[in-house]
Amino acid sequence: MKKLKFEYLKGSFFYSLPGILSIFLSLISIPIFLQLLSNTEFADYLMQHFILTFSIILNCNFGKIVCINISKKISEKDNYIYTVLILNIFTTILFSTLFFLALKQIITYFNIVNLNVLKGSSILFGLMISNFYLTLEGIYKGALKYKSLSLFNFLFYSLSMSFPALLLIIDRSEQTPFTISLIIKFLSVLIMTIYIFPKAINQLKISKQLIKDLKKLSGWITINTTVHQIYNYFDKYIIKAFFNNQLFIFYSISQQISSKIAVPLNAYNNICLLYTSDAADDSLRV
């Protein structure tokens, strides 16, 4: 019992560490952004990141479903990884492109000038990267690789958003902060994929069970995810679209920092669900 509690605490610590570190990074990077960027530039930068959270919906919860399947039957892990990554490549391109085109049409039709920054092709690339990352994140959770996932979460979410501020101090080049952020995110996804992808490719096969679960569960879970997305971000979109940039900046920053308070509790819940899985393999609990 004591050992299990220790595993919970250890996993929770590693899973919540990126969120905790991001608070300190934010306290350093935000003043730099405010000093070196105009209100419009910084507001656009924040909005570009917020719109990428739509990938949570576009992912169709492939990450959550593969996470559950891997934790239930660890012996099929390689086949599950192979299957979900192949499927996710096609769904990512399709759904991200459709969403991006619809977004451009809405902004153009209603002439929402404050959201014109979201019409750039970098947004489409960011949506695809974020979508694929969510699936990889689910794979790492299912395999209980929380130390590795902690590092990648720090790179993908925290460092990618704060590090461009440090580069602005060194050189205010033509590369926008969001472009630098996307480069960091892309490298994180690339390394994650190489690290987790099964080596014996010729022995892999498509998992019919995973495909069945994806068809059965993704729609219902995505409805819940959509409601959650509206609850968390709809107010920010409204403020950016119809109010001034300074209000949007202060509102967004305060919410982002305050939301980190719940990180340790969410981490504990995630670890608890996976460690209580009957089929979890002790050898993979890192």
Side-chain angles (χ1 to χ4, degrees), residues 63-195:
K64 289 183 180 179
I65 296 170
V66 74
C67 171
I68 295 170
N69 280 55
I70 290 175
S71 64
K72 284 183 177 179
K73 196 171 183 180
I74 199 68
S75 61
E76 287 290 309
K77 177 173 71 75
D78 287 350
N79 290 329
Y80 288 153
I81 293 173
Y82 176 70
T83 302
V84 78
L85 291 183
I86 294 297
L87 290 175
N88 195 225
I89 289 174
F90 293 104
T91 58
T92 292
I93 294 173
L94 176 62
F95 294 142
S96 297
T97 302
L98 290 176
F99 172 78
F100 177 68
L101 293 176
L103 179 65
K104 285 184 67 175
Q105 285 295 109
I106 292 171
I107 294 172
T108 302
Y109 182 80
F110 291 103
N111 194 28
I112 310 175
V113 179
N114 286 347
L115 298 183
N116 277 339
V117 69
L118 302 181
K119 294 164 66 175
S121 58
S122 59
I123 297 297
L124 175 59
F125 184 60
L127 286 169
M128 290 182 179
I129 295 174
S130 300
N131 192 324
F132 204 70
Y133 182 86
L134 290 171
T135 300
L136 289 169
E137 186 180 31
I139 292 171
Y140 275 72
K141 285 180 182 179
L144 299 175
K145 295 184 177 295
Y146 278 94
K147 287 183 180 179
S148 303
L149 182 58
S150 176
L151 173 61
F152 289 124
N153 276 343
F154 176 71
L155 293 173
F156 191 86
Y157 292 115
S158 304
L159 193 66
S160 68
M161 195 165 183
S162 298
F163 186 71
L166 302 179
L167 294 183
L168 286 175
I169 297 177
I170 301 172
D171 179 27
R172 188 71 192 276
S173 63
E174 295 182 0
Q175 294 294 333
T176 65
F178 187 64
T179 301
I180 298 169
S181 180
L182 288 182
I183 292 172
I184 297 174
K185 288 179 182 292
F186 175 75
L187 292 176
S188 301
V189 168
L190 182 62
I191 296 170
M192 281 184 83
T193 305
I194 294 172
Y195 181 72

